[in-house]
Amino acid sequence: MRVRMPQAPVAIIPTKDLRRRSGSSPKTMIIDSRTTKPWKKQPPKVPTSRKISLCSSLTPMTPMSSAPTKLAPITTSIPTLTSEMLKDVVRTKTYQNVIYKNSFLFRDKVVLDVGAGTGILSLFCAKVGAKHVYAIECSSMADMAREIVKLNGFADVITVIKGKVEEIELPVAQVDVIISEWMGYFLLYENMLDTVLYARNKWLVADGLVLPDKATLYLTAIEDADYKEDKIEFWNNVYGFDMSCIRKQSIMEPLVDTVDQNQIVTNCQMLKTMDISKMATGDASFTAPFKLVAERNDYIHALVAYFDVSFTKCHKLMGFSTGPKSRATHWKQTVLYLEDVLTVCQGESIVGSMTVAPNKKNPRDVDIMLKYSINGRRCQASRTQFYRMR
């Protein structure tokens, strides 16, 4: 876990939400009390929690005085966290439109909802005429989902099963459709994709559907001098003392935040496309080359990854993007800061490769190896960096 110690009293609140402008890691948010002014680049207000089982809700904080720092109360509010997920309009509305506008894919079909949460996707499917829906949820939200199903009159159509996909048995031998919202930060964080593939291999009929069925990871490069100087280079000289060991830890952990599209310096490069209906479990580990071409004279401080999701079996192609040029989602983008500040001229290229794999000790985490080089008029650099999303 990365800890960034600012220059003034802070409150450290466990969370999986990340906001670069206030300093953070996937498990720790540091709220800086030096100022209550808005960020220079304010991200849109979007849902912030990825999964209801691991997050804590944030208690509103008032500006701190010179009195001793007190940690803000920490509470766990499942309704709050769940509403944040459901209020991600890009996410939830896309799934609703896929199901409502393509009811022929679900009518009279047996559907499996993997990681059902509140059961919202199961409810969508039942409403358009699914024969039966099996909603699997391993967290305590499964109990809430059963109640929600009853409240909405679908108890005879939707069966909520509490447990892990790998450990439960379905009342049926096969299902016609598998639907899931499995995507994590950087697409692969939390490794829920393997669970979907396990369910596909065990229960899906030969000509069955997996929705969504395509996911694509992209890479681009940004200018971000202010943040890198304030939150990373800060550790090189802290009131005259060398604390660069903390800097090394900080730069190894990718950050998740909404990136302003005006920060983008290069083209966007496709890294990997996954066909969820056909891919093998090991295909989520890969090495992909990239070439990013500068679209203007500028400086590059970080690479940024994001993903698109597609439902190709619909009557018309449907899906959404989590990119910086699209409407913001709770996934935001994933930022990987570079050791070097790259000075690029328009038309010059950064070439390299990215290797992605689940962490061996904790498969929910993602290990990333980035190799990059540039041989430009004003900058020459070549380096390999390692990151871990945790």
Side-chain angles (χ1 to χ4, degrees):
M1 176 184 296
R2 171 175 47 193
V3 177
R4 292 180 177 175
M5 301 174 64
Q7 297 167 307
V10 299
I12 302 178
I13 303 173
T15 181
K16 285 180 59 184
D17 176 48
L18 309 167
R19 293 184 184 269
R20 295 185 293 127
R21 301 300 182 252
S22 55
S24 57
S25 75
K27 292 182 180 176
T28 302
M29 173 179 288
I30 302 179
I31 307 298
D32 193 339
S33 64
R34 289 174 292 177
T35 178
T36 56
K37 295 180 180 179
W39 292 327
K40 182 180 293 185
K41 300 172 181 175
Q42 287 215 11
K45 293 183 179 180
V46 295
T48 55
S49 300
R50 176 68 187 98
K51 293 292 178 186
I52 59 171
S53 57
L54 297 180
C55 301
S56 298
S57 63
L58 303 183
T59 302
M61 297 176 59
T62 55
M64 295 185 181
S65 65
S66 59
T69 303
K70 293 183 180 180
L71 295 183
I74 299 173
T75 59
T76 300
S77 171
I78 287 179
T80 298
L81 299 172
T82 303
S83 70
E84 289 174 343
M85 295 289 289
L86 296 175
K87 289 177 181 178
D88 184 339
V89 176
V90 174
R91 163 196 180 268
T92 309
K93 199 68 178 177
T94 297
Y95 275 89
Q96 184 185 47
N97 288 337
V98 164
I99 296 168
Y100 283 10
K101 295 182 178 181
N102 298 275
S103 58
F104 65 93
L105 295 176
F106 302 90
R107 191 177 299 114
D108 299 324
K109 303 292 186 181
V110 177
V111 179
L112 178 60
D113 182 359
V114 176
T118 60
I120 185 64
L121 302 187
S122 297
L123 292 168
F124 290 158
C125 293
K127 191 168 183 179
V128 298
K131 181 179 180 181
H132 203 91
V133 183
Y134 295 97
I136 304 178
E137 173 57 44
C138 68
S139 76
S140 59
M141 180 54 71
D143 301 321
M144 289 282 191
R146 287 195 188 98
E147 186 65 23
I148 291 169
V149 167
K150 291 179 182 178
L151 287 172
N152 288 275
F154 288 107
D156 58 336
V157 179
I158 301 173
T159 299
V160 178
I161 301 173
K162 187 175 183 179
K164 295 182 179 180
V165 168
E166 296 83 357
E167 297 174 358
I168 62 98
E169 289 296 332
L170 291 180
V172 295
Q174 293 182 310
V175 299
D176 302 300
V177 179
I178 293 177
I179 192 165
S180 178
E181 191 274 88
W182 56 266
M183 300 78 70
Y185 296 132
F186 190 70
L187 184 62
L188 297 171
Y189 179 59
E190 291 187 329
N191 200 32
M192 193 175 164
L193 175 58
D194 280 355
T195 299
V196 175
L197 298 181
Y198 178 92
R200 180 202 67 185
N201 294 340
K202 185 172 183 178
W203 290 301
L204 190 65
V205 297
D207 57 347
L209 299 179
V210 180
L211 300 172
D213 59 320
K214 295 287 178 63
T216 304
L217 190 66
Y218 293 90
L219 192 69
T220 189
I222 63 168
E223 180 281 326
D224 204 7
D226 291 345
Y227 175 82
K228 189 180 180 189
E229 179 65 30
D230 186 42
K231 298 298 184 181
I232 295 180
E233 305 304 342
F234 163 77
W235 298 110
N236 289 326
N237 186 339
V238 183
Y239 299 105
F241 295 96
D242 184 348
M243 297 188 184
S244 57
C245 56
I246 299 179
R247 179 195 181 279
K248 293 177 182 178
Q249 182 68 21
S250 297
I251 205 166
M252 287 179 64
E253 296 191 10
L255 302 177
V256 174
D257 191 18
T258 302
V259 171
D260 189 329
Q261 63 176 312
N262 293 324
Q263 294 177 261
I264 298 173
V265 178
T266 70
N267 64 311
C268 298
Q269 168 83 54
M270 183 184 73
L271 284 178
K272 176 75 170 179
T273 295
M274 300 179 186
D275 186 337
I276 317 306
S277 63
K278 298 178 181 178
M279 67 182 290
T281 301
D283 292 346
S285 300
F286 63 89
T287 298
F290 64 82
K291 180 180 180 180
L292 301 177
V293 181
E295 297 178 343
R296 63 174 184 262
N297 293 355
D298 212 327
Y299 302 95
I300 291 174
H301 302 88
L303 302 188
V304 173
Y306 63 93
F307 63 89
D308 293 355
V309 167
S310 300
F311 300 78
T312 69
K313 304 302 182 183
C314 298
H315 179 63
K316 293 179 64 176
L317 179 65
M318 302 182 75
F320 61 84
S321 174
T322 64
K325 295 182 180 180
S326 301
R327 184 173 177 178
T329 71
H330 75 282
W331 286 287
K332 304 184 179 74
Q333 293 88 41
T334 301
V335 184
L336 301 94
Y337 283 94
L338 305 178
E339 287 284 356
D340 307 291
V341 176
L342 305 181
T343 304
V344 293
C345 299
Q346 185 176 7
E348 293 181 345
S349 300
I350 305 168
V351 296
S353 66
M354 179 176 285
T355 300
V356 178
N359 180 265
K360 292 182 179 180
K361 291 184 178 179
N362 184 358
R364 293 171 60 87
D365 296 352
V366 180
D367 289 336
I368 303 169
M369 180 175 71
L370 176 68
K371 295 182 179 181
Y372 66 88
S373 64
I374 181 174
N375 185 20
R377 297 195 299 274
R378 298 173 183 171
C379 178
Q380 295 81 41
S382 181
R383 190 181 292 273
T384 299
Q385 287 185 234
F386 296 89
Y387 306 85
R388 180 177 174 184
M389 293 199 70
R390 56 184 174 178

